[in-house]
RNA sequence: GGCGCUAUCGUCUAACGGUUAGGACGGAGCCCUCUCAAGGCUUAAAUACGGGUUCGAUUCCCGUUAGCGCUACCA
């Protein structure tokens, strides 16, 4: 049974790239009926914040994906130290007493810094003596130097990988404050937690050679690796909080009214393909179809813009998922957005409205602009010119609306009955059906673009409809007066 | 600089040596239609460049170019 982990470091909000790494791990775990582990990699006390950790959980919760085990790296420091010690005792690591940020900097700038021979060759006696004297040191891995050999591993995405030890520097295992570095803590935990597959961003591909060295030194089995191509901005730069702001945060998608399943769908299609022509997929379909073979190797652009923070395909997918939702589910998700926009929405009514707007909204948040007239007690002001139908004039609008009043007052208030009655009235008046419907639509909705008229009337109810049509008539009358006044 | 990785329409991708290089988003057009949508149909749009290998290269190899990553006592 595979065991996989998502190991974010709490140094900012959960961004879309990290979320994708979580999703790929989760998809693999669920596909293989394995174990999904969440591990907070918080060994860098200087940069970790509690707020960031909270926001990461917030982001993960929104995804509606779960995990089976949870750990915090800072609570496992003892283990990391033990593994480091074991490596040290085997002579595979050494103490480096070079003060932090000392002259080494210069030689590093010039290029190939691999190790400091003086420290690497320090005698055991002197090393022990200086350590005992309390001199701070960094514990470094002693990368084999005598006869360079190739470190190899097979990546499930990128294939066979190899790198000469001659190109790997003596990296740190323990910092001078005694805390483990990422490499150390991560490998020690991966060993201890029995991680079988490490699925992470491609930015770790070259780090993996170091990790293989650590696994070997610790006498542990080497896990499988699957590195994911990176997500990048339209200009090719990597996604960053500083440069791209909140558009890279998953909570931005949440707050904009994306459905988690749509977000998961969008993100999993970035760098992975089911190899058939499917694009809109349910979470279960993604789980079923997921495999490392479907992951490709080149970076994927999240196609956002300054003026539009969301990739058009994400928006389209969201609309697709919105339409696939059961009305009750949709209404339930719409409600908080409606309330946030200041509408006193009653759930029963929303359930009737939801089917009318589902094909007309791209995000949940759109409900505020698409369904406002259902919930507002008074219509927002609109231009009376909107009431004038195609190839008609104000007089026609007035005629139609006046005629509509008694029909609306008398007809059975159902979709088919209203349809029949208003069509008949249009015919009687000698106007086209559209010319009849449009003024009523605007009178009732306050705008031209709206859901189908009869369902709308039905949901709105007789009283509201009569009131709004009446108001529209007054609007037109005062408009006519104004016009004739100008004419004379 | 060193090392590693990558390269198909604007974007996400399919084509594991032989296709008129396919699909999706977005764009354009048409249809449907009480508006707006949704839906349907049509259309423009790509194999970075140069060498090989091969009867035949998007596909395999080499080089160039470009991009990305690592090169921290960050992860």
């Amino acid at each position: 049974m595979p065991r996989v982990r998502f190991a974010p470091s709490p140094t900012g909000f959960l961004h879309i790239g990290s979320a994708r790494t979580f999703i790929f791990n989760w998809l693999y775990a669920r596909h293989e009926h394995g174990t999904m582990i969440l591990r907070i990699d918080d060994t860098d006390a200087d940069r970790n914040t509690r707020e960031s950790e909270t926001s990461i959980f917030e982001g993960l919760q929104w995804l509606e994906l779960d995990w089976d085990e949870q750990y915090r790296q800072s609570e496992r420091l003892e283990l990391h130290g033990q593994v480091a010690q074991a490596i040290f005792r085997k002579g595979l690591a050494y103490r480096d007493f070079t003060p932090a940020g000392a002259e080494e900097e210069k030689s590093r700038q010039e290029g190939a810094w691999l190790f400091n021979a003086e420290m690497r060759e320090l005698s055991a006696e002197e090393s022990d003596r200086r350590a005992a004297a309390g001199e701070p040191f960094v514990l470094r891995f002693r990368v084999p130097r005598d006869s360079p050999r190739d470190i190899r591993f097979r990546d499930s995405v990128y294939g066979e990988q190899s790198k000469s030890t001659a190109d790997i520097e003596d990296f740190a295992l323990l910092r001078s404050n005694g805390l483990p570095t990422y490499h150390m803590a991560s490998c020690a935990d991966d060993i201890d937690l029995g991680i079988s597959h490490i699925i992470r961003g491609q930015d770790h591909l070259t780090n993996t050679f170091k990790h293989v060295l650590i696994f070997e030194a610790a006498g542990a089995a080497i896990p499988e690796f699957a590195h994911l191509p990176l997500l990048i901005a339209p200009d090719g730069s990597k996604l960053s909080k500083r440069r791209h702001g909140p558009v890279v945060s998953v909570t931005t998608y949440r707050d904009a009214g994306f459905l988690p399943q749509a977000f998961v769908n969008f993100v999993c299609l970035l760098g992975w393909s089911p190899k058939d022509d499917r694009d809109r997929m349910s979470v279960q379909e993604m789980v079923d179809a997921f495999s490392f073979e479907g992951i490709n190797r080149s970076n994927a652009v999240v196609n956002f813009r300054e003026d539009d923070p969301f990739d058009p395909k994400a928006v389209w997918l969201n609309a697709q998922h919105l339409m696939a939702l059961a009305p009750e589910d949709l209404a339930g998700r719409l409600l908080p957005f409606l309330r946030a926009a200041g509408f006193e929405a009653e759930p029963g009514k929303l359930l009737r409205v939801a089917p009318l707007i589902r094909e007309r909204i791209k995000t949940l948040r759109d409900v505020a602009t698409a369904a406002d007239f259902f919930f507002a007690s008074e219509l927002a002001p609109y231009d009376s010119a909107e009431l004038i139908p195609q190839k008609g004039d104000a007089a026609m609008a007035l005629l139609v609306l006046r005629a509509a009043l008694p029909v609306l007052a008398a007809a059975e208030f159902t979709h088919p009955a209203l349809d029949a009655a208003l069509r008949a009235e249009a015919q009687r008046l000698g106007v086209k059906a559209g010319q009849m419907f449009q003024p009523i639509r605007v009178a009732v909705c306050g705008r031209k673009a709206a859901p189908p008229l009869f369902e709308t009337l039905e949901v709105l109810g007789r009283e509201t409809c009569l009131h709004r049509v009446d108001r529209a008539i007054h609007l037109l009358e005062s408009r006519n007066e104004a016009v004739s006044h100008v004419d004379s």
Side-chain angles (χ1 to χ4, degrees), chain A residues 22 138 192 194 233 257 385 390 404 418 452 471:
Chain A
F22 177 93
V138 166
D192 187 65
Q390 279 284 310
L418 288 166
R471 230 191 104 219

Side-chain angles (χ1 to χ4, degrees), chain A residues 45-290:
Chain A
D46 294 341
R47 303 200 316 152
N48 296 157
T49 66
R50 203 75 200 184
E51 303 79 70
S52 151
E53 201 177 304
T54 309
S55 88
I56 286 172
F57 275 108
E58 206 183 323
L60 292 179
Q61 269 163 14
W62 175 67
L63 292 179
E64 294 181 8
L65 306 179
D66 56 345
W67 55 92
D68 308 307
E69 296 173 21
Q70 182 176 318
Y71 303 93
R72 176 190 301 278
Q73 231 172 21
S74 58
E75 291 168 356
R76 304 166 57 81
L77 262 20
E78 203 179 324
L79 169 77
H80 310 145
Q82 282 166 4
V83 178
Q85 279 307 314
I87 292 172
F88 175 68
R89 278 197 300 274
K90 287 181 188 169
L92 297 172
Y94 62 92
R95 300 189 185 100
D96 180 348
F97 295 96
T98 311
E103 356 95 55
E104 239 56 47
E105 286 306 318
K106 228 173 261 170
S107 60
R108 286 191 191 213
Q109 301 280 312
E110 285 157 19
W113 176 90
L114 285 174
F115 61 95
N116 179 339
E118 194 189 333
M119 287 300 160
R120 185 178 158 109
E121 307 307 340
L122 217 56
S123 72
E125 294 72 33
E126 188 179 352
S127 176
D128 288 348
R129 184 180 55 72
R130 290 171 72 169
E135 190 175 339
F137 62 86
V138 166
L139 191 70
R140 288 190 183 282
F141 193 91
R142 191 187 296 276
V143 177
R145 300 286 168 210
D146 303 337
S147 46
R149 61 178 248 253
D150 283 345
I151 306 299
R152 299 176 180 282
F153 68 94
R154 199 191 75 83
D155 188 274
S156 297
V157 173
Y158 288 91
E160 293 298 330
Q161 302 293 314
S162 84
K163 183 169 183 167
S164 170
T165 51
D167 294 316
I168 302 174
E169 70 281 0
D170 284 1
F171 54 95
L173 259 23
L174 255 30
R175 298 185 255 243
S176 53
N177 63 6
L179 289 175
T181 61
Y182 160 73
H183 302 301
M184 184 69 257
S186 177
C187 290
D189 278 333
D190 288 339
I191 294 167
D192 187 65
L193 298 175
I195 303 301
S196 61
H197 299 259
I198 296 180
I199 305 167
R200 72 220 316 185
Q202 191 249 31
D203 48 343
H204 286 297
L205 190 62
T206 42
N207 283 334
T208 305
F209 297 104
K210 296 172 191 168
H211 299 173
V212 168
L213 247 14
I214 295 177
F215 287 125
E216 283 177 352
I222 314 281
E224 304 278 318
F225 296 97
H227 286 90
L228 273 20
L230 266 21
L231 257 28
I232 55 177
D235 67 354
S237 66
K238 73 171 182 179
L239 300 177
S240 88
K241 182 184 181 180
R242 208 169 59 82
R243 287 193 55 184
H244 306 110
V247 302
V248 302
S249 170
V250 309
T251 52
T252 302
Y253 285 78
R254 178 197 62 187
D255 298 343
F258 277 79
L259 252 20
Q261 59 266 48
F263 178 81
V264 170
N265 193 166
F266 168 65
V267 145
C268 93
L269 255 16
L270 257 21
W272 175 80
S273 161
K275 302 284 187 183
D276 48 36
D277 286 340
R278 282 182 295 173
D279 35 35
R280 207 217 116 225
M281 300 173 81
S282 69
V283 173
Q284 187 57 50
E285 285 172 324
M286 293 180 244
V287 168
D288 292 340
F290 189 78

Side-chain angles (χ1 to χ4, degrees), chain A residues 7 16 29 31 36 89 94 99 108-109 161 174 206 237 255 287 307 315 320 383 395 402 412 415 437 444-445 464 477:
Chain A
I16 180 168
H31 181 88
M36 175 73 203
R89 278 197 300 274
Y94 62 92
R108 286 191 191 213
Q109 301 280 312
Q161 302 293 314
L174 255 30
T206 42
S237 66
D255 298 343
V287 168
D307 55 326
V315 174
Q320 292 291 309
D383 184 354
R402 281 173 177 152
E412 184 195 340
H415 171 187
F437 301 157
V444 148
C445 303
T464 303
E477 284 168 350

Side-chain angles (χ1 to χ4, degrees), chain A residues 308-384:
Chain A
D308 181 7
F310 303 112
D311 190 309
K313 193 153 187 173
V315 174
W316 176 79
L317 275 168
N318 197 54
Q320 292 291 309
H321 279 86
L322 243 18
M323 287 188 278
L325 242 37
E328 296 74 23
D329 192 2
L330 178 60
R333 291 175 187 266
L334 249 18
L335 190 58
F337 284 89
L338 210 44
R339 295 216 162 124
F343 293 102
E344 285 299 321
E346 188 253 314
K349 186 174 184 184
L350 181 54
L351 187 56
R352 301 178 70 202
V353 169
L356 302 185
I357 61 163
R358 64 191 300 157
E359 287 165 6
R360 274 156 270 265
I361 55 175
K362 302 281 190 198
T363 66
L364 294 169
R365 199 166 62 182
D366 288 345
V367 69
T369 52
D372 54 346
F373 58 86
F374 282 112
F375 300 99
S377 47
E378 280 310 317
L379 239 32
Y382 59 91
D383 184 354
S384 62

Side-chain angles (χ1 to χ4, degrees), chain A residues 37-48:
Chain A
I37 296 166
L38 174 66
R39 190 180 74 209
I40 306 293
D41 277 12
D42 57 348
T43 54
D44 183 5
D46 294 341
R47 303 200 316 152
N48 296 157

